[in-house]
Amino acid sequence: MYRFLLTPRWWGINVFVLLAIPFCVFMGSWQLSRFEDRVQDHRVATEQAASGRDEAARPLAAMLPVDKNTSGRRVTASGRYGKQLLVPGRELDGRRGFYVLTLLRTDSGRALPVVRGWLPGTADAAKTPAAPAGEVTVTGALQASETPGNNGVSAQGGLPAGQTAAISSASLVNLVPYRLYDAWVTLDKGDAGMKAVPASTPDGSGLDLKAFQNLGYTGEWFVFAGFVVFMWFRLFRREVEFQRDAALGLVPEDPEREPVPSG
């Protein structure tokens, strides 16, 4: 009854199934490993940000360039405050407000963007505290340049003068007359009565949309593998029933022939 499994048609079906199932399982396992890697990165970044608040601050130059190992670590830098910008549309503790971003001009000839704090409401330069004058030393968490569209960073354009949507050297280069570090710092303590902005995890290390896409793809590949098995058993069962009916003379004996409609 099962001699049909040796026909060319069923050889093709069986080979396809034997190749498709391991491929689907492999792809599903790979997507799952990508999700687990992102979960691990998120855990490490969270622990690093927590531990970074207690460790001694290191000189800025020793922690550059910013990567997953240095993001969130405490650094210190000295210089004089220069141009100040506002970063609108930023939430803190469930309230909407804006960051106060001031450029710290260092002895290296480059300027470091420093988030001095957060204020509630609409971005308004008139109610923004002025930066301290003279030489200052800042201490805070090192952060990588933001990417518009990631981690809630707005990609909005056409903002009023004195405002920027993202804190990044690419966004600031046309707004300030300084050479810039490809990094920024958020102060440990908010300046002039402002609320301090907590450090965030670097892009690609959080449980973001990409992480859950990996998890979704994992499910899809395993579903595909199950569907291939289901279809094989369905075709197999139909073929067995066809052979049984043929043996009883209810259908033509040649399973490769299609029945010809009468009439």
Side-chain angles (χ1 to χ4, degrees):
M1 180 180 293
Y2 302 120
R3 287 183 299 174
F4 64 85
L5 292 173
L6 301 178
T7 63
R9 173 170 172 264
W10 272 93
W11 267 107
I13 293 174
N14 292 334
V15 169
F16 172 78
V17 170
L18 291 174
L19 293 177
I21 292 176
F23 177 76
C24 291
V25 171
F26 168 78
M27 292 300 297
S29 301
W30 180 76
Q31 290 289 350
L32 181 60
S33 69
R34 292 290 297 154
F35 174 74
E36 291 174 342
D37 288 343
R38 291 180 182 275
V39 171
Q40 180 63 21
D41 287 346
H42 175 71
R43 183 181 298 112
V44 170
T46 301
E47 293 174 352
Q48 181 170 293
S51 63
R53 291 191 291 267
D54 301 324
E55 68 180 9
R58 299 182 61 186
L60 173 66
M63 303 297 282
L64 296 176
V66 187
D67 55 25
K68 291 182 180 180
N69 293 322
T70 59
S71 180
R73 297 291 182 87
R74 295 179 73 238
V75 297
T76 182
S78 298
R80 294 175 178 270
Y81 279 125
K83 187 175 180 62
Q84 183 159 280
L85 300 167
L86 307 181
V87 188
R90 298 303 179 101
E91 291 188 1
L92 186 62
D93 297 332
R95 301 176 63 191
R96 194 168 182 82
F98 61 97
Y99 294 169
V100 178
L101 177 70
T102 311
L103 280 298
L104 181 71
R105 303 175 65 182
T106 67
D107 293 338
S108 70
R110 289 189 289 177
L112 174 69
V114 176
V115 172
R116 295 171 49 228
W118 175 91
L119 290 172
T122 304
D124 184 358
K127 62 181 182 181
T128 303
E135 186 81 11
V136 296
T137 297
V138 300
T139 302
L142 183 65
Q143 301 280 262
S145 288
E146 296 179 330
T147 302
N150 286 357
N151 291 346
V153 178
S154 173
Q156 177 183 1
L159 292 173
Q163 296 187 20
T164 180
I167 309 173
S168 72
S169 56
S171 299
L172 297 174
V173 68
N174 296 320
L175 301 178
V176 298
Y178 318 126
R179 293 173 53 218
L180 297 167
Y181 285 102
D182 188 17
W184 57 283
V185 166
T186 176
L187 296 183
D188 289 343
K189 297 181 180 180
D191 199 7
M194 295 181 286
K195 295 193 69 172
V197 176
S200 59
T201 58
D203 291 346
S205 63
L207 296 179
D208 53 13
L209 177 60
K210 291 182 179 179
F212 289 103
Q213 281 179 338
N214 291 134
L215 188 60
Y217 294 150
T218 298
E220 288 181 0
W221 282 112
F222 288 140
V223 168
F224 290 158
F227 180 74
V228 170
V229 174
F230 168 76
M231 288 302 299
W232 185 91
F233 275 107
R234 184 177 180 184
L235 290 173
F236 177 79
R237 188 179 63 181
R238 290 181 61 183
E239 195 72 28
V240 169
E241 291 174 351
F242 185 88
Q243 294 293 333
R244 184 181 298 115
D245 291 343
L248 296 174
L250 300 178
V251 294
E253 294 185 0
D254 185 3
E256 300 295 327
R257 293 177 55 188
E258 295 290 338
V260 179
S262 61

